[in-house]
Amino acid sequence: MQLSEQWVLVTGGARGLGQAITRALAREGAGVVINYHRSAAAAQALAEELGPRAIALQADVTDAAAVQRLFAVAQERTGGRISAVVNNALAQFSFDGDARPKLGDIAWERFSQQIEGAVKGALNTMQAALPGMRAQGFGRIVNVGTNLFQNPVVPYHDYTAAKAALLSLTRTAANDLGPDGITVNMVSGGLLRTTDASSATPEAVFDLIASMTPLRRVTTPAEFADAVLFFLSPWARAVTGQNLVVDSGLVKD
């Protein structure tokens, strides 16, 4: 299915990386359901800007009932054509370097919050999407990960553990859903210049990471978004269960 034939749900699609993914999809002619939790004004403004093939819908992705309601409305608004999901929504988190909790004092509650946001959120959207995807005999799921579990240059224990669990779910889901014509993949970034989550990162850290990459620069949200589009496109029709690292070559996976 061409991108221009698809309706794609982007969780957390109104701000930061999610907004870059939403814009990239719209640029290629896809219909986009822009999910948001609290960013109503940003989501509505983006949908109005992008036109009739963009819909803003609220749901907390960690609430399974709310996600089911989101899909019911989205299916009605799109004629039952949600063919892809990009699980981008992030539990509240800041890449704040030395201000992060260290291993000796980090609380389990922070792990729970990140796992709820990353793994439970993705599970809820995948389960809600399955009936429609199976009816179409086609589906694309892309989960947003991180390169930190391959290269924990800054040990964000809670965030990294949750994203590593999400990679495991990506791979088991790929095996489970492949016979239904549904692919499940992950795109993992490093530090992006710049999103809400990375806004607290000192400029010196951006420069240091850029100096360690073959391309000598930090990846942008727009560059990351283009890699997401690959997995949604016909070019990736034989690719599933994979983790593509998009970080200017810092991690060679």
Side-chain angles (χ1 to χ4, degrees):
M1 192 180 290
Q2 299 291 332
L3 282 168
S4 59
E5 300 174 282
Q6 297 189 48
W7 276 90
V8 183
L9 169 69
V10 182
T11 68
R15 298 170 54 189
L17 176 59
Q19 185 184 113
I21 295 169
T22 296
R23 289 186 181 279
L25 285 163
R27 181 192 72 214
E28 300 300 323
V32 190
V33 177
I34 307 165
N35 160 252
Y36 66 93
H37 185 195
R38 298 187 180 94
S39 303
Q44 294 293 346
L46 183 59
E48 290 174 11
E49 175 191 338
L50 296 178
R53 281 177 60 79
I55 303 167
L57 294 177
Q58 193 278 338
D60 175 359
V61 295
T62 66
D63 182 337
V67 173
Q68 291 290 340
R69 290 192 296 270
L70 165 69
F71 268 84
V73 174
Q75 298 281 13
E76 180 180 349
R77 296 276 297 273
T78 65
R81 293 185 294 156
I82 301 296
S83 58
V85 174
V86 179
N87 285 307
N88 165 74
L90 177 67
Q92 185 174 355
F93 192 81
S94 177
F95 296 102
D96 50 6
D98 288 338
R100 73 191 187 283
K102 309 302 191 296
L103 188 63
D105 55 22
I106 190 170
W108 173 249
E109 286 72 21
R110 290 183 64 107
F111 285 87
S112 296
Q113 181 187 39
Q114 293 304 314
I115 291 169
E116 288 257 323
V119 183
K120 185 179 181 183
L123 177 63
N124 286 341
T125 62
M126 287 192 285
Q127 289 179 334
L130 278 180
M133 290 181 177
R134 282 174 168 152
Q136 295 177 73
F138 176 91
R140 298 289 180 264
I141 297 167
V142 180
N143 297 324
V144 173
T146 180
N147 69 357
L148 283 169
F149 53 79
Q150 292 133 315
N151 183 38
V153 58
V154 180
Y156 294 106
H157 306 292
D158 46 352
Y159 174 82
T160 304
K163 291 295 191 179
L166 182 58
L167 176 57
S168 292
L169 179 60
T170 299
R171 288 174 169 163
T172 57
N175 270 27
D176 196 2
L177 304 182
D180 297 308
I182 300 168
T183 66
V184 190
N185 291 288
M186 175 176 276
V187 180
S188 292
L191 186 64
L192 298 177
R193 188 194 293 264
T194 307
T195 65
D196 293 344
S198 65
S199 61
T201 302
E203 193 65 24
V205 174
F206 283 113
D207 292 342
L208 175 63
I209 290 176
S211 73
M212 294 188 293
T213 71
L215 297 179
R216 299 296 189 269
R217 58 189 176 85
V218 174
T219 307
T220 68
E223 291 167 335
F224 186 99
D226 285 345
V228 172
L229 264 57
F230 165 71
F231 282 126
L232 301 174
S233 77
W235 297 327
R237 60 190 177 276
V239 182
T240 195
Q242 302 305 308
N243 177 35
L244 176 62
V245 179
V246 180
D247 63 0
S248 297
L250 181 66
V251 169
K252 298 169 182 65
D253 193 14

